[in-house]
Amino acid sequence: MDDNEKLLDKAIDLYLTGLKGLGSFISEPSAEYSLSFEQYLILKKIIRKPKIKLMDIAEERGVTRSAISRQLRPLLNNNYIKQEADPEDRRRLFLISTPEGKQVEHRISSLVMRRFSKWVDVYGKDRGAELLDLLEDFNKQIIMRRRK
């Protein structure tokens, strides 16, 4: 087995154990409120940027409007957000959080921060920052470049 094969095996093992586990670790707080982590992040975006439009979120994330529309359904069904027609163009809909949505986002954010803080306490701020810097660099040089 050559060095690249060893690195590939290590990357696969890390993905299967570490990265998938990290995804579950991060997403558990939102599941309690019938949301995926992605839906929670969209809710957070709507709260921070009132009257944002679906197409703005889609463009920012580099996905289709229908993909965002599917993500919005649980937020609408759970009354975490509502849609409001733009008075200047009734065909355009603004996304607005409800009081319940703001409350749920705050609870999830608190749980996520508590979990993340425990991770930083165990791993250390400096090592955590180094790890995130490496992952960010990998994302820029490999993942994002592949999408272009």
Side-chain angles (χ1 to χ4, degrees):
M1 185 181 295
D2 72 11
D3 288 343
N4 283 351
E5 286 177 311
K6 288 177 187 174
L7 280 174
L8 175 61
D9 285 348
K10 189 173 185 174
I12 291 169
D13 287 343
L14 179 60
Y15 170 74
L16 291 174
T17 59
L19 296 179
K20 276 188 169 181
L22 180 61
S24 296
F25 178 80
I26 288 173
S27 65
E28 280 176 18
S30 59
E32 185 179 326
Y33 296 92
S34 303
L35 297 177
S36 69
F37 193 69
E38 188 76 22
Q39 291 159 346
Y40 153 69
L41 293 175
I42 291 170
L43 174 60
K44 188 178 188 98
K45 171 63 75 179
I46 292 167
I47 289 169
R48 288 186 175 173
K49 199 170 181 185
K51 295 191 174 185
I52 191 168
K53 294 182 292 296
L54 179 149
M55 64 186 216
D56 297 330
I57 297 171
E59 283 177 17
E60 185 178 288
R61 292 174 181 263
V63 298
T64 64
R65 289 187 300 228
S66 62
I68 295 300
S69 185
R70 284 189 300 274
Q71 294 286 0
L72 292 176
R73 252 181 251 130
L75 295 169
L76 290 162
N77 292 341
N78 287 307
N79 194 37
Y80 297 154
I81 64 168
K82 62 183 179 178
Q83 295 177 320
E84 187 177 282
D86 179 346
E88 295 177 19
D89 182 350
R90 309 245 349 124
R91 294 171 296 172
R92 291 190 316 190
L93 297 173
F94 293 127
L95 300 169
I96 300 167
S97 63
T98 64
E100 186 177 354
K102 288 178 182 175
Q103 192 174 51
V104 164
E105 185 277 334
H106 179 73
R107 287 185 197 142
I108 295 171
S109 290
S110 295
L111 291 169
V112 168
M113 182 52 77
R114 201 171 313 136
R115 294 184 90 152
F116 184 75
S117 294
K118 286 180 184 177
W119 175 76
V120 171
D121 289 345
V122 169
Y123 201 67
K125 272 187 185 170
D126 291 342
R127 288 178 67 205
E130 285 177 36
L131 174 63
L132 294 174
D133 287 344
L134 282 171
L135 290 172
E136 182 179 44
D137 185 52
F138 180 84
N139 188 45
K140 284 179 187 171
Q141 290 192 38
I142 307 298
I143 305 302
M144 299 308 286
R145 193 176 273 167
R146 190 183 89 217
R147 289 184 181 171
K148 292 179 180 180

Short mmCIF file of all heavy atoms in Angstrom, two decimals, residues 36-96:
data_model
loop_
_atom_site.label_atom_id
_atom_site.label_comp_id
_atom_site.label_asym_id
_atom_site.label_seq_id
_atom_site.Cartn_x
_atom_site.Cartn_y
_atom_site.Cartn_z
N SER A 36 -33.74 20.11 11.14
CA SER A 36 -32.37 19.70 10.85
C SER A 36 -31.46 20.86 11.22
O SER A 36 -31.94 21.99 11.43
CB SER A 36 -32.22 19.38 9.36
OG SER A 36 -32.32 20.57 8.59
N PHE A 37 -30.18 20.62 11.28
CA PHE A 37 -29.26 21.70 11.60
C PHE A 37 -29.30 22.76 10.50
O PHE A 37 -29.23 23.96 10.77
CB PHE A 37 -27.84 21.16 11.80
CG PHE A 37 -26.91 22.15 12.41
CD1 PHE A 37 -27.07 22.56 13.73
CD2 PHE A 37 -25.88 22.70 11.68
CE1 PHE A 37 -26.21 23.48 14.31
CE2 PHE A 37 -25.02 23.63 12.25
CZ PHE A 37 -25.19 24.02 13.56
N GLU A 38 -29.43 22.31 9.26
CA GLU A 38 -29.53 23.23 8.13
C GLU A 38 -30.76 24.15 8.27
O GLU A 38 -30.68 25.36 8.03
CB GLU A 38 -29.62 22.44 6.82
CG GLU A 38 -29.54 23.26 5.58
CD GLU A 38 -28.13 23.75 5.26
OE1 GLU A 38 -27.15 23.15 5.73
OE2 GLU A 38 -28.02 24.76 4.54
N GLN A 39 -31.88 23.58 8.69
CA GLN A 39 -33.09 24.38 8.89
C GLN A 39 -32.91 25.37 10.03
O GLN A 39 -33.36 26.52 9.95
CB GLN A 39 -34.29 23.46 9.14
CG GLN A 39 -34.67 22.69 7.90
CD GLN A 39 -35.47 21.44 8.19
OE1 GLN A 39 -35.55 20.97 9.34
NE2 GLN A 39 -36.06 20.87 7.15
N TYR A 40 -32.23 24.95 11.08
CA TYR A 40 -31.92 25.86 12.18
C TYR A 40 -31.08 27.04 11.68
O TYR A 40 -31.34 28.19 12.02
CB TYR A 40 -31.21 25.11 13.31
CG TYR A 40 -30.31 25.98 14.16
CD1 TYR A 40 -30.84 26.94 15.01
CD2 TYR A 40 -28.93 25.85 14.09
CE1 TYR A 40 -30.02 27.75 15.78
CE2 TYR A 40 -28.10 26.64 14.86
CZ TYR A 40 -28.64 27.60 15.70
OH TYR A 40 -27.82 28.39 16.45
N LEU A 41 -30.08 26.75 10.84
CA LEU A 41 -29.23 27.82 10.31
C LEU A 41 -30.03 28.79 9.44
O LEU A 41 -29.79 30.00 9.45
CB LEU A 41 -28.05 27.24 9.53
CG LEU A 41 -27.03 26.46 10.37
CD1 LEU A 41 -25.98 25.83 9.47
CD2 LEU A 41 -26.39 27.34 11.42
N ILE A 42 -31.00 28.27 8.69
CA ILE A 42 -31.86 29.13 7.88
C ILE A 42 -32.73 29.99 8.79
O ILE A 42 -32.88 31.19 8.54
CB ILE A 42 -32.70 28.28 6.90
CG1 ILE A 42 -31.78 27.67 5.83
CG2 ILE A 42 -33.81 29.13 6.25
CD1 ILE A 42 -32.44 26.64 4.94
N LEU A 43 -33.28 29.40 9.84
CA LEU A 43 -34.07 30.17 10.80
C LEU A 43 -33.22 31.29 11.40
O LEU A 43 -33.66 32.44 11.50
CB LEU A 43 -34.61 29.25 11.90
CG LEU A 43 -35.34 29.93 13.06
CD1 LEU A 43 -36.57 30.69 12.56
CD2 LEU A 43 -35.73 28.88 14.11
N LYS A 44 -32.01 30.96 11.77
CA LYS A 44 -31.09 31.96 12.34
C LYS A 44 -30.85 33.10 11.34
O LYS A 44 -30.85 34.27 11.70
CB LYS A 44 -29.78 31.26 12.71
CG LYS A 44 -28.81 32.07 13.48
CD LYS A 44 -27.59 31.20 13.80
CE LYS A 44 -26.67 31.89 14.73
NZ LYS A 44 -26.84 31.48 16.12
N LYS A 45 -30.66 32.76 10.07
CA LYS A 45 -30.44 33.76 9.01
C LYS A 45 -31.68 34.67 8.88
O LYS A 45 -31.55 35.89 8.77
CB LYS A 45 -30.15 33.06 7.69
CG LYS A 45 -30.11 33.95 6.47
CD LYS A 45 -29.04 34.99 6.50
CE LYS A 45 -27.68 34.39 6.24
NZ LYS A 45 -26.62 35.41 6.26
N ILE A 46 -32.87 34.08 8.91
CA ILE A 46 -34.11 34.86 8.78
C ILE A 46 -34.27 35.81 9.96
O ILE A 46 -34.69 36.96 9.79
CB ILE A 46 -35.32 33.91 8.64
CG1 ILE A 46 -35.25 33.17 7.30
CG2 ILE A 46 -36.64 34.66 8.78
CD1 ILE A 46 -36.21 32.00 7.18
N ILE A 47 -33.89 35.38 11.14
CA ILE A 47 -33.99 36.24 12.33
C ILE A 47 -32.99 37.39 12.22
O ILE A 47 -33.31 38.53 12.53
CB ILE A 47 -33.78 35.42 13.61
CG1 ILE A 47 -35.00 34.52 13.84
CG2 ILE A 47 -33.52 36.32 14.82
CD1 ILE A 47 -34.82 33.48 14.93
N ARG A 48 -31.79 37.08 11.79
CA ARG A 48 -30.75 38.12 11.69
C ARG A 48 -30.99 39.08 10.53
O ARG A 48 -30.49 40.20 10.55
CB ARG A 48 -29.38 37.47 11.54
CG ARG A 48 -28.91 36.83 12.81
CD ARG A 48 -27.52 36.33 12.68
NE ARG A 48 -27.05 35.82 13.96
CZ ARG A 48 -25.92 35.19 14.12
NH1 ARG A 48 -25.13 34.99 13.09
NH2 ARG A 48 -25.56 34.77 15.31
N LYS A 49 -31.71 38.62 9.52
CA LYS A 49 -31.93 39.46 8.34
C LYS A 49 -33.43 39.45 8.01
O LYS A 49 -33.86 38.76 7.09
CB LYS A 49 -31.11 38.93 7.16
CG LYS A 49 -30.91 39.91 6.07
CD LYS A 49 -29.89 39.40 5.07
CE LYS A 49 -29.69 40.44 4.00
NZ LYS A 49 -28.81 39.93 2.95
N PRO A 50 -34.22 40.18 8.80
CA PRO A 50 -35.67 40.20 8.57
C PRO A 50 -36.01 40.60 7.13
O PRO A 50 -35.31 41.40 6.52
CB PRO A 50 -36.18 41.24 9.56
CG PRO A 50 -35.11 41.35 10.59
CD PRO A 50 -33.82 41.06 9.87
N LYS A 51 -37.06 40.02 6.64
CA LYS A 51 -37.57 40.28 5.28
C LYS A 51 -36.62 39.79 4.19
O LYS A 51 -36.63 40.30 3.07
CB LYS A 51 -37.93 41.75 5.10
CG LYS A 51 -39.08 42.18 5.98
CD LYS A 51 -39.58 43.54 5.60
CE LYS A 51 -40.83 43.87 6.41
NZ LYS A 51 -41.42 45.13 6.01
N ILE A 52 -35.81 38.78 4.50
CA ILE A 52 -34.97 38.15 3.48
C ILE A 52 -35.89 37.33 2.57
O ILE A 52 -36.96 36.89 2.98
CB ILE A 52 -33.87 37.29 4.14
CG1 ILE A 52 -32.83 36.86 3.11
CG2 ILE A 52 -34.47 36.09 4.87
CD1 ILE A 52 -31.58 36.24 3.73
N LYS A 53 -35.48 37.15 1.34
CA LYS A 53 -36.27 36.36 0.40
C LYS A 53 -35.63 34.99 0.20
O LYS A 53 -34.42 34.83 0.35
CB LYS A 53 -36.38 37.11 -0.93
CG LYS A 53 -37.18 38.41 -0.82
CD LYS A 53 -37.33 39.12 -2.13
CE LYS A 53 -36.10 39.71 -2.71
NZ LYS A 53 -35.42 40.76 -2.03
N LEU A 54 -36.46 34.03 -0.17
CA LEU A 54 -36.01 32.67 -0.41
C LEU A 54 -34.85 32.65 -1.39
O LEU A 54 -33.85 31.97 -1.17
CB LEU A 54 -37.20 31.86 -0.93
CG LEU A 54 -36.99 30.40 -1.27
CD1 LEU A 54 -38.26 29.63 -1.03
CD2 LEU A 54 -36.53 30.21 -2.69
N MET A 55 -34.97 33.42 -2.47
CA MET A 55 -33.91 33.40 -3.49
C MET A 55 -32.60 33.97 -2.96
O MET A 55 -31.52 33.56 -3.39
CB MET A 55 -34.34 34.12 -4.76
CG MET A 55 -34.61 35.58 -4.62
SD MET A 55 -35.25 36.18 -6.19
CE MET A 55 -34.51 37.78 -6.20
N ASP A 56 -32.65 34.88 -1.98
CA ASP A 56 -31.42 35.40 -1.38
C ASP A 56 -30.69 34.29 -0.61
O ASP A 56 -29.46 34.19 -0.69
CB ASP A 56 -31.73 36.56 -0.42
CG ASP A 56 -32.35 37.75 -1.12
OD1 ASP A 56 -32.06 37.97 -2.32
OD2 ASP A 56 -33.15 38.47 -0.48
N ILE A 57 -31.44 33.49 0.11
CA ILE A 57 -30.85 32.38 0.85
C ILE A 57 -30.27 31.36 -0.11
O ILE A 57 -29.15 30.85 0.09
CB ILE A 57 -31.88 31.74 1.81
CG1 ILE A 57 -32.34 32.75 2.86
CG2 ILE A 57 -31.29 30.49 2.48
CD1 ILE A 57 -33.51 32.28 3.71
N ALA A 58 -31.01 31.04 -1.17
CA ALA A 58 -30.54 30.07 -2.17
C ALA A 58 -29.23 30.54 -2.81
O ALA A 58 -28.28 29.75 -2.93
CB ALA A 58 -31.62 29.84 -3.23
N GLU A 59 -29.18 31.80 -3.21
CA GLU A 59 -27.96 32.34 -3.82
C GLU A 59 -26.78 32.30 -2.87
O GLU A 59 -25.68 31.91 -3.24
CB GLU A 59 -28.20 33.79 -4.28
CG GLU A 59 -28.99 33.90 -5.56
CD GLU A 59 -29.28 35.35 -5.94
OE1 GLU A 59 -28.61 36.27 -5.40
OE2 GLU A 59 -30.18 35.56 -6.76
N GLU A 60 -27.03 32.69 -1.62
CA GLU A 60 -25.96 32.71 -0.62
C GLU A 60 -25.39 31.32 -0.38
O GLU A 60 -24.19 31.16 -0.19
CB GLU A 60 -26.53 33.27 0.68
CG GLU A 60 -25.52 33.47 1.76
CD GLU A 60 -26.16 34.08 2.99
OE1 GLU A 60 -26.51 35.28 2.95
OE2 GLU A 60 -26.31 33.35 3.99
N ARG A 61 -26.24 30.31 -0.41
CA ARG A 61 -25.80 28.94 -0.14
C ARG A 61 -25.39 28.19 -1.39
O ARG A 61 -24.90 27.06 -1.30
CB ARG A 61 -26.90 28.18 0.59
CG ARG A 61 -27.11 28.72 1.99
CD ARG A 61 -28.28 28.08 2.68
NE ARG A 61 -28.41 28.66 4.00
CZ ARG A 61 -27.92 28.10 5.10
NH1 ARG A 61 -27.30 26.96 5.05
NH2 ARG A 61 -28.06 28.71 6.26
N GLY A 62 -25.64 28.77 -2.55
CA GLY A 62 -25.27 28.12 -3.80
C GLY A 62 -26.12 26.90 -4.12
O GLY A 62 -25.60 25.91 -4.64
N VAL A 63 -27.40 26.97 -3.78
CA VAL A 63 -28.32 25.86 -4.06
C VAL A 63 -29.54 26.42 -4.79
O VAL A 63 -29.70 27.62 -4.93
CB VAL A 63 -28.75 25.12 -2.77
CG1 VAL A 63 -27.55 24.50 -2.07
CG2 VAL A 63 -29.48 26.06 -1.81
N THR A 64 -30.40 25.52 -5.22
CA THR A 64 -31.60 25.95 -5.95
C THR A 64 -32.65 26.50 -5.00
O THR A 64 -32.64 26.20 -3.80
CB THR A 64 -32.21 24.77 -6.73
OG1 THR A 64 -32.64 23.78 -5.79
CG2 THR A 64 -31.21 24.16 -7.70
N ARG A 65 -33.56 27.27 -5.57
CA ARG A 65 -34.68 27.78 -4.77
C ARG A 65 -35.55 26.64 -4.26
O ARG A 65 -36.06 26.71 -3.15
CB ARG A 65 -35.50 28.77 -5.59
CG ARG A 65 -34.76 30.08 -5.81
CD ARG A 65 -35.63 31.09 -6.48
NE ARG A 65 -36.10 30.62 -7.77
CZ ARG A 65 -36.07 31.31 -8.88
NH1 ARG A 65 -35.63 32.54 -8.87
NH2 ARG A 65 -36.49 30.81 -10.01
N SER A 66 -35.70 25.60 -5.07
CA SER A 66 -36.53 24.48 -4.61
C SER A 66 -35.89 23.76 -3.43
O SER A 66 -36.59 23.26 -2.54
CB SER A 66 -36.84 23.50 -5.75
OG SER A 66 -35.66 22.93 -6.26
N ALA A 67 -34.56 23.72 -3.39
CA ALA A 67 -33.88 23.10 -2.24
C ALA A 67 -34.16 23.89 -0.97
O ALA A 67 -34.43 23.31 0.09
CB ALA A 67 -32.37 23.01 -2.49
N ILE A 68 -34.11 25.21 -1.06
CA ILE A 68 -34.41 26.05 0.10
C ILE A 68 -35.89 25.94 0.45
O ILE A 68 -36.26 25.88 1.62
CB ILE A 68 -33.99 27.52 -0.14
CG1 ILE A 68 -32.46 27.62 -0.30
CG2 ILE A 68 -34.48 28.42 0.99
CD1 ILE A 68 -31.66 27.15 0.91
N SER A 69 -36.73 25.89 -0.56
CA SER A 69 -38.17 25.76 -0.33
C SER A 69 -38.48 24.51 0.50
O SER A 69 -39.29 24.55 1.43
CB SER A 69 -38.90 25.71 -1.66
OG SER A 69 -40.28 25.71 -1.46
N ARG A 70 -37.82 23.41 0.19
CA ARG A 70 -38.00 22.16 0.96
C ARG A 70 -37.55 22.34 2.40
O ARG A 70 -38.16 21.82 3.33
CB ARG A 70 -37.25 21.00 0.30
CG ARG A 70 -37.93 20.46 -0.93
CD ARG A 70 -37.26 19.17 -1.42
NE ARG A 70 -35.86 19.34 -1.78
CZ ARG A 70 -35.41 19.74 -2.97
NH1 ARG A 70 -36.26 20.03 -3.92
NH2 ARG A 70 -34.13 19.85 -3.20
N GLN A 71 -36.45 23.09 2.59
CA GLN A 71 -35.94 23.34 3.94
C GLN A 71 -36.88 24.25 4.73
O GLN A 71 -36.95 24.18 5.95
CB GLN A 71 -34.54 23.99 3.87
CG GLN A 71 -33.47 23.11 3.29
CD GLN A 71 -33.03 22.02 4.24
OE1 GLN A 71 -33.51 21.89 5.36
NE2 GLN A 71 -32.08 21.21 3.80
N LEU A 72 -37.60 25.12 4.04
CA LEU A 72 -38.50 26.06 4.71
C LEU A 72 -39.79 25.41 5.20
O LEU A 72 -40.40 25.89 6.16
CB LEU A 72 -38.85 27.22 3.78
CG LEU A 72 -37.72 28.19 3.44
CD1 LEU A 72 -38.22 29.22 2.43
CD2 LEU A 72 -37.18 28.86 4.68
N ARG A 73 -40.21 24.33 4.56
CA ARG A 73 -41.49 23.71 4.92
C ARG A 73 -41.64 23.42 6.41
O ARG A 73 -42.65 23.83 7.01
CB ARG A 73 -41.72 22.43 4.09
CG ARG A 73 -42.80 22.66 3.08
CD ARG A 73 -43.08 21.45 2.23
NE ARG A 73 -42.58 21.76 0.89
CZ ARG A 73 -41.79 20.98 0.18
NH1 ARG A 73 -41.42 19.81 0.62
NH2 ARG A 73 -41.38 21.35 -1.00
N PRO A 74 -40.68 22.75 7.05
CA PRO A 74 -40.83 22.51 8.50
C PRO A 74 -40.86 23.79 9.32
O PRO A 74 -41.54 23.87 10.33
CB PRO A 74 -39.61 21.65 8.86
CG PRO A 74 -39.15 21.06 7.58
CD PRO A 74 -39.51 22.05 6.52
N LEU A 75 -40.11 24.81 8.88
CA LEU A 75 -40.12 26.09 9.59
C LEU A 75 -41.50 26.74 9.51
O LEU A 75 -41.99 27.30 10.49
CB LEU A 75 -39.06 27.03 9.00
CG LEU A 75 -37.60 26.58 9.18
CD1 LEU A 75 -36.67 27.43 8.33
CD2 LEU A 75 -37.20 26.65 10.64
N LEU A 76 -42.14 26.64 8.36
CA LEU A 76 -43.49 27.18 8.19
C LEU A 76 -44.51 26.32 8.94
O LEU A 76 -45.37 26.85 9.64
CB LEU A 76 -43.84 27.23 6.70
CG LEU A 76 -43.09 28.28 5.88
CD1 LEU A 76 -43.17 27.98 4.39
CD2 LEU A 76 -43.64 29.67 6.17
N ASN A 77 -44.39 25.01 8.80
CA ASN A 77 -45.35 24.09 9.44
C ASN A 77 -45.33 24.17 10.96
O ASN A 77 -46.34 23.97 11.62
CB ASN A 77 -45.12 22.64 8.99
CG ASN A 77 -45.46 22.43 7.53
OD1 ASN A 77 -46.18 23.22 6.92
ND2 ASN A 77 -44.93 21.37 6.96
N ASN A 78 -44.15 24.45 11.52
CA ASN A 78 -44.02 24.57 12.98
C ASN A 78 -44.26 25.99 13.46
O ASN A 78 -44.06 26.29 14.64
CB ASN A 78 -42.63 24.10 13.43
CG ASN A 78 -42.49 22.60 13.36
OD1 ASN A 78 -43.30 21.86 13.91
ND2 ASN A 78 -41.46 22.12 12.66
N ASN A 79 -44.64 26.87 12.54
CA ASN A 79 -44.92 28.27 12.87
C ASN A 79 -43.69 28.99 13.44
O ASN A 79 -43.80 29.85 14.30
CB ASN A 79 -46.12 28.39 13.83
CG ASN A 79 -46.64 29.81 13.91
OD1 ASN A 79 -46.68 30.52 12.91
ND2 ASN A 79 -47.02 30.22 15.10
N TYR A 80 -42.50 28.63 12.90
CA TYR A 80 -41.28 29.31 13.30
C TYR A 80 -41.02 30.53 12.42
O TYR A 80 -40.33 31.46 12.82
CB TYR A 80 -40.08 28.38 13.24
CG TYR A 80 -40.15 27.19 14.18
CD1 TYR A 80 -39.47 26.01 13.91
CD2 TYR A 80 -40.90 27.24 15.36
CE1 TYR A 80 -39.52 24.93 14.76
CE2 TYR A 80 -40.97 26.15 16.22
CZ TYR A 80 -40.26 25.00 15.91
OH TYR A 80 -40.32 23.92 16.77
N ILE A 81 -41.56 30.48 11.20
CA ILE A 81 -41.45 31.61 10.28
C ILE A 81 -42.79 31.78 9.57
O ILE A 81 -43.64 30.88 9.59
CB ILE A 81 -40.33 31.43 9.22
CG1 ILE A 81 -40.64 30.25 8.30
CG2 ILE A 81 -38.97 31.32 9.87
CD1 ILE A 81 -39.75 30.18 7.06
N LYS A 82 -42.93 32.94 8.93
CA LYS A 82 -44.10 33.17 8.08
C LYS A 82 -43.63 33.90 6.83
O LYS A 82 -42.52 34.44 6.80
CB LYS A 82 -45.18 33.95 8.81
CG LYS A 82 -44.77 35.34 9.25
CD LYS A 82 -45.86 36.02 10.03
CE LYS A 82 -45.40 37.41 10.47
NZ LYS A 82 -46.44 38.13 11.18
N GLN A 83 -44.47 33.88 5.82
CA GLN A 83 -44.18 34.59 4.58
C GLN A 83 -45.09 35.80 4.49
O GLN A 83 -46.26 35.73 4.85
CB GLN A 83 -44.40 33.68 3.37
CG GLN A 83 -43.45 32.51 3.35
CD GLN A 83 -43.72 31.57 2.19
OE1 GLN A 83 -44.87 31.29 1.87
NE2 GLN A 83 -42.65 31.10 1.55
N GLU A 84 -44.52 36.89 4.02
CA GLU A 84 -45.28 38.12 3.89
C GLU A 84 -45.01 38.71 2.51
O GLU A 84 -43.85 38.82 2.10
CB GLU A 84 -44.82 39.09 4.98
CG GLU A 84 -45.61 40.35 5.11
CD GLU A 84 -45.10 41.17 6.28
OE1 GLU A 84 -45.42 40.82 7.43
OE2 GLU A 84 -44.36 42.14 6.03
N ALA A 85 -46.06 39.07 1.81
CA ALA A 85 -45.91 39.62 0.46
C ALA A 85 -45.24 40.99 0.51
O ALA A 85 -45.51 41.80 1.39
CB ALA A 85 -47.27 39.74 -0.21
N ASP A 86 -44.35 41.21 -0.45
CA ASP A 86 -43.71 42.51 -0.61
C ASP A 86 -44.79 43.48 -1.11
O ASP A 86 -45.41 43.23 -2.14
CB ASP A 86 -42.58 42.37 -1.65
CG ASP A 86 -41.84 43.66 -1.92
OD1 ASP A 86 -42.32 44.74 -1.54
OD2 ASP A 86 -40.75 43.58 -2.53
N PRO A 87 -45.02 44.59 -0.40
CA PRO A 87 -46.08 45.52 -0.82
C PRO A 87 -45.83 46.12 -2.21
O PRO A 87 -46.77 46.49 -2.90
CB PRO A 87 -46.07 46.60 0.26
CG PRO A 87 -44.93 46.32 1.15
CD PRO A 87 -44.35 45.00 0.81
N GLU A 88 -44.58 46.18 -2.64
CA GLU A 88 -44.25 46.75 -3.95
C GLU A 88 -44.38 45.74 -5.09
O GLU A 88 -44.53 46.12 -6.24
CB GLU A 88 -42.85 47.34 -3.92
CG GLU A 88 -42.74 48.53 -2.98
CD GLU A 88 -41.34 49.08 -2.90
OE1 GLU A 88 -40.53 48.82 -3.81
OE2 GLU A 88 -41.05 49.79 -1.92
N ASP A 89 -44.27 44.44 -4.75
CA ASP A 89 -44.41 43.39 -5.75
C ASP A 89 -44.97 42.16 -5.04
O ASP A 89 -44.22 41.39 -4.44
CB ASP A 89 -43.06 43.08 -6.40
CG ASP A 89 -43.16 42.02 -7.49
OD1 ASP A 89 -44.22 41.38 -7.63
OD2 ASP A 89 -42.16 41.83 -8.20
N ARG A 90 -46.26 41.97 -5.10
CA ARG A 90 -46.94 40.93 -4.33
C ARG A 90 -46.49 39.52 -4.70
O ARG A 90 -46.77 38.57 -3.98
CB ARG A 90 -48.46 41.06 -4.48
CG ARG A 90 -48.93 42.47 -4.20
CD ARG A 90 -49.81 42.79 -3.07
NE ARG A 90 -50.48 41.84 -2.27
CZ ARG A 90 -50.34 41.78 -0.95
NH1 ARG A 90 -49.49 42.57 -0.34
NH2 ARG A 90 -51.04 40.94 -0.25
N ARG A 91 -45.78 39.38 -5.82
CA ARG A 91 -45.28 38.05 -6.20
C ARG A 91 -44.08 37.65 -5.35
O ARG A 91 -43.80 36.47 -5.19
CB ARG A 91 -44.88 38.03 -7.67
CG ARG A 91 -46.06 38.20 -8.62
CD ARG A 91 -45.56 38.40 -10.03
NE ARG A 91 -44.80 39.66 -10.07
CZ ARG A 91 -44.10 40.07 -11.10
NH1 ARG A 91 -44.05 39.35 -12.19
NH2 ARG A 91 -43.44 41.21 -11.07
N ARG A 92 -43.36 38.63 -4.82
CA ARG A 92 -42.19 38.35 -3.98
C ARG A 92 -42.64 38.19 -2.53
O ARG A 92 -43.46 38.97 -2.04
CB ARG A 92 -41.16 39.47 -4.07
CG ARG A 92 -40.49 39.54 -5.42
CD ARG A 92 -39.33 40.48 -5.43
NE ARG A 92 -39.61 41.73 -4.75
CZ ARG A 92 -38.83 42.78 -4.79
NH1 ARG A 92 -37.72 42.76 -5.46
NH2 ARG A 92 -39.15 43.89 -4.15
N LEU A 93 -42.07 37.18 -1.88
CA LEU A 93 -42.42 36.93 -0.48
C LEU A 93 -41.21 37.13 0.41
O LEU A 93 -40.13 36.61 0.13
CB LEU A 93 -42.95 35.50 -0.32
CG LEU A 93 -44.24 35.17 -1.06
CD1 LEU A 93 -44.54 33.68 -0.95
CD2 LEU A 93 -45.39 35.99 -0.51
N PHE A 94 -41.43 37.87 1.48
CA PHE A 94 -40.41 38.02 2.50
C PHE A 94 -40.56 36.90 3.52
O PHE A 94 -41.68 36.45 3.79
CB PHE A 94 -40.56 39.36 3.25
CG PHE A 94 -40.28 40.56 2.41
CD1 PHE A 94 -41.22 41.59 2.33
CD2 PHE A 94 -39.08 40.71 1.73
CE1 PHE A 94 -40.97 42.73 1.58
CE2 PHE A 94 -38.83 41.85 0.97
CZ PHE A 94 -39.77 42.85 0.90
N LEU A 95 -39.45 36.47 4.09
CA LEU A 95 -39.47 35.48 5.17
C LEU A 95 -39.25 36.23 6.48
O LEU A 95 -38.30 37.01 6.60
CB LEU A 95 -38.38 34.44 4.94
CG LEU A 95 -38.50 33.66 3.64
CD1 LEU A 95 -37.24 32.85 3.39
CD2 LEU A 95 -39.72 32.76 3.66
N ILE A 96 -40.13 35.97 7.43
CA ILE A 96 -40.09 36.67 8.71
C ILE A 96 -40.24 35.64 9.83
O ILE A 96 -41.08 34.75 9.75
CB ILE A 96 -41.23 37.72 8.79
CG1 ILE A 96 -41.07 38.72 7.65
CG2 ILE A 96 -41.26 38.40 10.14
CD1 ILE A 96 -42.26 39.60 7.42
#
